Structures are given as C-alpha cells and as structure tokens.
Amino acid sequence: MEWIYEPWPWYVAGPMIALTMFLLLYMGKHFGMSSNLRTMCAVGGAGKISTFFQFDWKKERWNLMVIVGAIIGGFLVSTFMSNNVVEINPEIATQLSEKYGIESANSAYLPTEIFNTENLSNPFILGILLLGGFLVGFGARYAGGCTSGHAISGLSNLQVPSLIAVVGFFVGGLVMIHLLYPFIFGQ
Amino acid sequence: MRYLKFLAVGIFFGIVMYKSEAASWFRIYEMFHFASFHMYGIIGSAVIIGIIGVQIIKRKDLKTVENKEMHLSPKNPGIYRYLIGGIIFGLGWALTGACPGPMFVLAGAGFYSILVVIVGSILGTFVYGLLHKKLPH
C-alpha cells in the first residue's frame, strides 16, 4: 500500500491537468482559477467602490465550487494519500540550507521556516506572505489570468497574449528567486 | 445539485495539484533554478495535450454537454498588461510558491498560513480593480 503515498510523476499530472481543462470546457465553462479572486471581491461588495466588480457574480458560482472542491481535494490527499514530504534536487536542498537557513527541504511539503503557523507572529514572515499574495492577485488580474488561465488554457488555444504573460511569469519568478531572495531571505 | 459536477472537478484538480507537488513551494523554487524537469514536464505535457485537444475540438466542431459552442474565445490583443501583469504575478508566485489554484489546495491540506496569502491575493485583486483605468493595458 506504500504506493498510494508516492507523489505522481509529471507524465501523470500533466495529462490530468489537461483533462481538468477539457472537463470544464465540456461542461460549458473554462479553466481559470484567479477570476475567483475577482468574484470573491464582488461577493464582498467591492462593486460599490469600483465598476470592475460590477458583474453578475452569481454566474461565476460554478468556479467557486471548483475552488471548494480544490480545498476538499487538498484535505483528502494530505490526510489519506501523502506522506507530505517533497523530495527535490539535493543540490537545491543544500543551497536552501546554506544561503537561507531553510532546513526543511526533503522533510516537509512546504518550508516550515516560512509556513509554520507559529511564524505568523513574526511580522517579517507575515509581511512576506501578505505581499506575495498581493502581487499574485494584482498581477493575475492585470495580466487577465494566472498559471491556469494563461499557461494552460491560453497556450492550449495558441494565444499570443498568453505566451507574453507566461514569459512575464518567468521573468518575474527568476528576478524574485535570483535577485531579490538574497536580500529578503539572505543571512 | 447542478453545481456538484464542478465540485467533483475541483476535488480532482486539488488531488492532482497536491499529488504532483505542483502546490509545493520547494518545487517552484527548484523550477526557477532549472534544477529539475518535474514542473516543466507537468506544464509542458499539459500544454501539448491541450493544444492537440483544442485543435480536435475546433476541427470536429465539438460542442459542450448542452450542445453549445465551447468557451475558447481569443484573448484581447495587447502587450503591456500581459508583460507587466505577468511579471508582477511571477514575483508573487516565486515569493509565496503558490498560485491561485494551489493556494486553496494548501488551505485544505491544513497549511493555515496560506490563508494570509489568500487574503493578500484578494486585496491585490481589489486594488487592481481600483486602479485598472489608470494602468497601461
């Protein structure tokens, strides 16, 4: 029964992500997660402040249900189908430890140094999480989509704007990891 | 009840994101160091199958379950919004190791600190909504 806890290789996961997109297309919808953040703003009454949030959010309830499902899926897997340890390239694990004091690589799913709930009392960690989330939400809406809407749905439909957005995702990611991480997490 | 099928797709998606480790900060960090093929394999194979499938849908004119056109509308043309927005998204993606799908998967998996990231992303979306008319698109 050990196999049930093993992570899935890329050649299983990739086709299943494509299947997720096709299932939603077949149901008359589309695969895009970040638009839910806009819907959540609209549900919370943001339409009173900006026209950007004035739309019939009830038509987007289906996508909120996808998100609720994703939450349930995360619960099910982490509880019953995973040992919650991610094995990465050992050189990267060593580098994380030496450069940033992150020792939890190859022994956790997320770095405990950042994501342990006790660390929320540390204003620095709290700020990092809040700022990172802010950039994700702002950037996704500015670009009109995220990894699902552009990298998967858009590229599958051969959309040049999505290719530009994905190049942007990687430029931003590389700048953050290679240029900014030493200032943010360096010791 | 008509929403149940979307709940089922979401559960499936959540399982895939967590089991493939695409929801792991470590995998994102490793990806931006080009130190493993894993994430590129996931995204690459999804896109290749996606391209083939979308071509089949278009050539055979396949319809949805309700016999309507599939939602494959082209994106609005432009450069600035995609490039600048994309870069801002990438900065946040690499900082938190989470994008808008996986952050909810992680919340379900019991990583409660990710709720701060979710609040941040809703705030970011809200601020974009306030500023969007003033930004280059």
Side-chain angles (χ1 to χ4, degrees):
Chain A
M1 280 301 282
E2 266 308 302
W3 62 270
I4 204 164
Y5 299 106
E6 295 289 318
W8 287 348
W10 63 264
Y11 51 82
V12 172
M16 285 191 174
I17 293 171
L19 177 62
T20 306
M21 177 181 75
F22 289 127
L23 282 172
L24 288 171
L25 284 173
Y26 181 63
M27 293 173 185
K29 308 298 181 190
H30 53 94
F31 180 46
M33 290 297 137
S34 65
S35 50
N36 282 305
L37 300 169
R38 184 186 183 195
T39 308
M40 288 173 195
C41 288
V43 174
K48 289 179 200 133
I49 299 163
S50 167
T51 54
F52 185 70
F53 301 108
Q54 286 172 10
F55 60 95
D56 185 7
W57 62 262
K58 287 184 177 160
K59 283 187 179 159
E60 301 296 322
R61 277 183 294 196
W62 66 270
N63 212 352
L64 294 178
M65 288 306 285
V66 176
I67 286 289
V68 173
I71 295 171
I72 297 170
F75 168 75
L76 291 176
V77 177
S78 62
T79 311
F80 302 112
M81 291 171 67
S82 176
N83 52 22
N84 303 302
V85 170
V86 174
E87 301 275 348
I88 57 168
N89 185 328
E91 281 175 36
I92 296 296
T94 309
Q95 187 207 77
L96 272 171
S97 163
E98 285 173 359
K99 279 172 86 175
Y100 304 125
I102 292 177
E103 313 279 354
S104 51
N106 297 340
S107 66
Y109 196 90
L110 296 183
T112 50
E113 291 83 353
I114 300 173
F115 288 97
N116 254 6
T117 35
E118 294 107 69
N119 293 338
L120 288 178
S121 56
N122 178 342
F124 171 74
I125 295 291
L126 191 66
I128 292 287
L129 296 173
L130 203 58
L131 173 70
F134 185 94
L135 294 170
V136 166
F138 186 93
R141 210 67 274 120
Y142 195 175
C146 60
T147 3
S148 50
H150 277 310
I152 308 294
S153 298
L155 290 186
S156 292
N157 195 17
L158 302 174
Q159 294 297 304
V160 175
S162 293
L163 185 61
I164 300 171
V166 173
V167 169
F169 296 167
F170 269 83
V171 171
L174 291 171
V175 166
M176 175 56 73
I177 297 276
H178 294 278
L179 303 181
L180 301 179
Y181 259 51
F183 291 104
I184 298 171
F185 294 110
Q187 297 175 316
Chain B
M1 286 303 280
R2 63 202 167 104
Y3 288 108
L4 222 50
K5 57 180 188 278
F6 298 112
L7 190 73
V9 171
I11 293 173
F12 176 74
F13 176 65
I15 291 173
V16 174
M17 284 292 108
Y18 199 87
K19 283 298 276 183
S20 68
E21 305 178 338
S24 170
W25 183 100
F26 290 116
R27 284 294 190 186
I28 307 301
Y29 184 85
E30 183 190 49
M31 172 182 77
F32 284 122
H33 277 95
F34 304 101
S36 166
F37 180 71
H38 186 73
M39 288 302 299
Y40 296 98
I42 292 177
I43 300 172
S45 61
V47 169
I48 289 169
I49 294 168
I51 289 172
I52 296 169
V54 169
Q55 286 303 316
I56 294 171
I57 289 170
K58 286 185 174 173
R59 289 185 191 184
K60 305 232 169 192
D61 198 22
L62 299 181
K63 300 285 193 244
T64 70
V65 65
E66 289 163 328
N67 206 25
K68 290 182 181 151
E69 288 293 318
M70 288 210 189
H71 193 287
L72 288 167
S73 44
K75 308 272 181 196
N76 295 325
I79 293 174
Y80 294 117
R81 69 172 302 180
Y82 299 112
L83 196 59
I84 304 170
I87 289 171
I88 295 171
F89 176 86
L91 291 167
W93 185 21
L95 186 55
T96 61
C99 43
M103 54 176 75
F104 290 95
V105 179
L106 292 169
F111 296 101
Y112 299 119
S113 295
I114 208 76
L115 295 173
V116 178
V117 179
I118 293 174
V119 169
S121 67
I122 294 172
L123 267 175
T125 305
F126 177 67
V127 171
Y128 170 77
L130 297 182
L131 301 177
H132 76 292
K133 284 181 183 157
K134 297 182 181 126
L135 297 167
H137 278 84

